[in-house]
Amino acid sequence: MSDDLGLWFDPSKCLIAGEWVAPSGGQYLPLENPSTGEKIGQIARGTGADIDAAVAAAEAARHGPWGRMSAAERGRILMTLGRMVLERVDDLARIEALDVGKPLKQARADAVALARYMEFYGGAADKLHGETIPYLEGYTVYTLREPHGVTGHIVPWNYPMQIIGRSVGAALATGNACVLKPAEDACLTALAFAEMAKAAGLPDGALNVVPGLGSEAGAALTAHPGVHHISFTGSVATGVMVQEAAAKNVIPVTLELGGKSPQVVFEDADIPAALPFLVNAGIQNAGQTCSASSRILVQRAVYDQVVERMALRYDALKVGRAMDDLDVGPLISARQKNIVSGFIDKGADLQIAGQGQLVSAPNGGNYVRPTLFANVSPGHCLARDEIFGPVQVVIPFEDEEEAVAIANGTDYGLVASVWSQNGARQMRMAKRIRAGQIFINNYGAGGGVELPFGGMGKSGHGREKGFEAMYGFTVLKTVAAFHG
Ligand code: TXE
């Protein structure tokens, strides 16, 4: 497939108040193709002034036609948008592959997920409601679920379409007006989505997009006194800054900050069924997945067998250009490649059980070989820190007690899975592992628009996806009426 971007919109603009405008500072950031390192265009370097204009546009939208629209009408627009996304799935996949280096099939899955979010939240928009509460004689008490107002959305580069879908989708469905700051390394599908939203009939100002640097446009958005809720997905360090900025304005934040998610394989597991999940959950999107399963915990009796069979799969992994659609593409940037290579170097004294092959890796692309480390001790940095690359460690354990201790032994708590045929053990483990999502005999990195998702510990707080996200994007108001 060709490396032609074939864009149907101008990638160097911001969308503010329904208008495509140049960044007020007149400055731009380069767009690079991670598969080759080539410059393929430029995006806007939005400024604090652009964020001011976007927040003002969102504020106006919530007092204009968007704010007055019925929930059913909002839902209809989102569903129309979902259909439009589906019609352009291949275009979206192509530009995502070129912009972020995601192999085409994986990029396509993200575009389909974006459409699913619009369908889900479009359908749910008019199904969220408050309650009546029995109270004193002579009173009727009910609750209203109201939008926060202006919501800020700071999105990373690893799953732009999915994260925009879950965050902006739920916020719009509940009647908020959004300001979206996509990641500097991954803006194209955010702009494409905004262009489609406009064409789907979303009123001006309901969705504004300001690309730019995290330290400029991102920081301006999180500190803005006109923003009423921030939804952030990214690193722990930046998440802390976002929460500090939000605290100064006393506004709620949803933080999704990644993890070190384990899969726990017991001796009674269906190992052939587990194997594809064990490996795919670590190498999907080149391991740049918040819910990547980077730790595989295996009970001693089956440990050698699992390592051997995972290693065979690793050795067969093909790495190369996103447009060649192999198992693993490049990492997002040279910086990310350095971080991941640094971690692989830190494992020099460990046993490398299996490694993927570079088969189409032009110079200048950000490639690393997927690497499986065996016999890693739980205290090693490879078993503790988020690597955010195609690297997994396999750790042996003796019994349930030890499995729980290792599984819960990092700062994170996003996702976990338990592989066992023993129902009682499944239930015990699901209760004892500290994670926002537990899978039993499967693993769902990135999947399930219906399933509430979010972290414990340093994986963050607040829940996205499903109906739960809609509660997060609304404020509960209690009305107590005395009528005698
Ligand atoms: O993240 P940042 P980076 C982890 C992963 C990765 C590491 C660094 O381990 O190796 O973070 O990635 C915006 N105010 N994750 O540096 O900085 C930024 O523009 C407001 C896990 O890319 O957190 C981008 O839009 N916003 C993760 C977004 O924050 C700011 C996904 C994420 O960037 C800002 C990505 C600021 N001061 C990385 N500084 C996951 N949970 O999936 C930056 N940003």
Side-chain angles (χ1 to χ4, degrees):
M1 240 191 164
S2 93
D3 277 12
D4 178 23
L5 271 173
L7 298 181
W8 61 97
F9 55 91
D10 181 347
S12 65
K13 297 271 167 72
C14 309
L15 181 69
I16 299 175
E19 300 290 332
W20 289 102
V21 295
S24 60
Q27 291 194 302
Y28 297 87
L29 299 167
L31 261 184
E32 268 179 22
N33 178 348
S35 295
T36 60
E38 284 160 4
K39 185 170 178 240
I40 52 173
Q42 60 180 19
I43 55 154
R45 179 172 170 176
T47 62
D50 297 319
I51 292 290
D52 286 345
V55 171
E59 181 64 24
R62 76 188 190 100
H63 297 294
W66 175 244
R68 290 192 293 273
M69 200 174 270
S70 71
E73 278 177 281
R74 290 199 303 267
R76 202 171 291 129
I77 291 174
L78 292 182
M79 285 189 278
T80 303
L81 180 51
R83 277 193 297 279
M84 292 169 64
V85 169
L86 275 184
E87 281 160 18
R88 294 213 88 138
V89 157
D90 290 324
D91 293 331
L92 288 166
R94 192 189 68 249
I95 64 176
E96 192 77 310
L98 290 166
D99 193 16
V100 310
K102 201 174 281 239
L104 273 175
K105 249 194 274 8
Q106 297 178 37
R108 199 173 192 285
D110 284 7
V112 172
L114 174 60
R116 266 298 288 141
Y117 279 112
M118 296 307 114
E119 290 165 357
F120 182 89
Y121 286 118
D126 59 353
K127 293 165 191 71
L128 188 77
H129 49 70
E131 308 178 306
T132 55
I133 301 174
Y135 191 49
L136 304 175
E137 178 63 24
Y139 282 81
T140 296
V141 180
Y142 58 94
T143 58
L144 298 172
R145 286 208 167 267
E146 298 184 343
H148 289 288
V150 176
T151 52
H153 304 258
I154 297 183
V155 170
W157 39 263
N158 55 341
Y159 286 85
M161 286 191 273
Q162 296 220 28
I163 295 171
I164 289 169
R166 76 188 187 197
S167 149
V168 170
L172 290 176
T174 43
N176 296 282
C178 306
V179 179
L180 165 62
K181 208 298 281 172
E184 39 277 62
D185 290 323
C187 276
L188 293 184
T189 49
L191 296 166
F193 174 74
E195 192 269 345
M196 286 187 233
K198 197 166 147 55
L202 192 71
D204 293 348
L207 172 62
N208 306 274
V209 184
V210 181
L213 295 173
S215 55
E216 295 175 359
L221 180 59
T222 48
H224 203 290
V227 172
H228 307 108
H229 178 283
I230 293 279
S231 154
F232 172 82
T233 304
S235 62
V236 176
T238 305
V240 169
M241 287 195 272
V242 168
Q243 181 154 352
E244 280 171 356
K248 295 206 172 108
N249 291 321
V250 197
I251 59 165
V253 288
T254 302
L255 297 180
E256 199 270 88
L257 307 178
K260 193 72 187 170
S261 299
Q263 298 197 62
V264 185
V265 185
F266 285 94
E267 60 190 8
D268 65 340
D270 179 346
I271 291 170
L275 278 166
F277 289 89
L278 297 182
V279 174
N280 291 347
I283 55 100
Q284 175 182 321
N285 199 33
Q288 303 166 116
T289 305
C290 43
S291 51
S293 175
S294 47
R295 294 186 296 154
I296 308 297
L297 280 45
V298 187
Q299 198 159 18
R300 282 270 181 215
V302 290
Y303 184 81
D304 289 343
Q305 183 198 148
V306 170
V307 170
E308 208 172 290
R309 293 167 83 173
M310 285 184 73
L312 286 176
R313 286 175 175 263
Y314 259 78
D315 292 342
L317 289 174
K318 294 191 173 68
V319 182
R321 295 166 70 245
M323 297 311 257
D324 291 336
D325 204 12
L326 303 170
D327 303 305
V328 178
L331 299 174
I332 184 74
S333 59
R335 175 176 160 245
Q336 194 65 21
K337 179 183 166 176
N338 285 339
I339 294 175
V340 175
S341 306
F343 273 110
I344 294 176
D345 292 345
K346 285 183 190 157
D349 54 332
L350 300 173
Q351 177 201 345
I352 291 185
Q355 256 189 330
Q357 304 302 321
L358 304 186
V359 299
S360 79
N363 284 339
N366 310 316
Y367 301 97
V368 297
R369 289 177 70 189
T371 304
L372 179 70
F373 288 99
N375 281 311
V376 182
S377 84
H380 196 284
C381 66
L382 292 189
R384 261 192 354 248
D385 299 341
E386 183 175 60
I387 298 173
F388 232 57
V391 179
Q392 287 178 297
V393 297
V394 198
I395 305 171
F397 69 85
E398 298 296 339
D399 53 22
E400 267 183 49
E401 209 51 43
E402 193 185 10
V404 170
I406 299 173
N408 291 344
T410 73
D411 291 341
Y412 295 102
L414 193 57
V415 175
S417 85
V418 179
W419 293 90
S420 166
Q421 315 256 28
N422 177 330
R425 169 179 278 159
Q426 295 165 1
M427 296 303 118
R428 281 194 299 274
M429 293 298 288
K431 278 204 166 170
R432 295 185 69 193
I433 294 180
R434 187 180 76 145
Q437 271 188 344
I438 309 274
F439 292 92
I440 296 172
N441 293 333
N442 73 105
Y443 192 89
V449 312
E450 309 85 347
L451 311 183
F453 174 74
M456 297 184 183
K458 289 199 176 152
S459 289
H461 50 74
R463 291 293 175 264
E464 302 194 84
K465 305 188 178 187
F467 257 81
E468 205 60 36
M470 296 175 72
Y471 298 134
F473 278 111
T474 51
V475 179
L476 196 75
K477 181 186 277 175
T478 305
V479 181
F482 177 68
H483 39 67

